[in-house]
Amino acid sequence: MKKGVCLKCGSSDVYHAPNGARLEWRSGRSTFSEATCDTYVCTKCGYFEPYVSLRGDDPKRVDDIKANWKKVGKP
């Protein structure tokens, strides 16, 4: 998607909205964290991908993800 090609249908009708969505998650029993996401959408098939924006965001957010989310793949 970041290269302008839809990963689902192969269309080049991909549009990008920097800071287009907010992601919120629980990082403990009562604490919520949030981050700004860059969003991509294919206007042909509707496929949508958000990416956590790592530029300018508080580094504690990335540390929170690493501490509370499960890593995918091999450790």
Side-chain angles (χ1 to χ4, degrees):
M1 295 289 279
K2 287 183 174 184
K3 293 184 178 185
V5 177
C6 178
L7 300 174
K8 296 295 178 185
C9 74
S11 171
S12 61
D13 292 334
V14 175
Y15 291 81
H16 169 237
N19 303 321
R22 302 285 301 164
L23 174 66
E24 186 177 277
W25 64 92
R26 185 177 299 274
S27 61
R29 292 181 181 224
S30 62
T31 304
F32 282 92
S33 293
E34 63 179 45
T36 301
C37 292
D38 295 334
T39 53
Y40 295 79
V41 66
C42 173
T43 58
K44 183 172 182 181
C45 73
Y47 182 68
F48 172 84
E49 278 190 350
Y51 290 85
V52 171
S53 174
L54 300 178
R55 64 183 183 284
D57 269 356
D58 186 344
K60 291 180 186 177
R61 291 187 180 120
V62 174
D63 292 341
D64 184 56
I65 290 170
K66 288 180 177 181
N68 293 291
W69 294 30
K70 292 183 181 184
K71 188 171 186 322
V72 177
K74 296 180 182 181

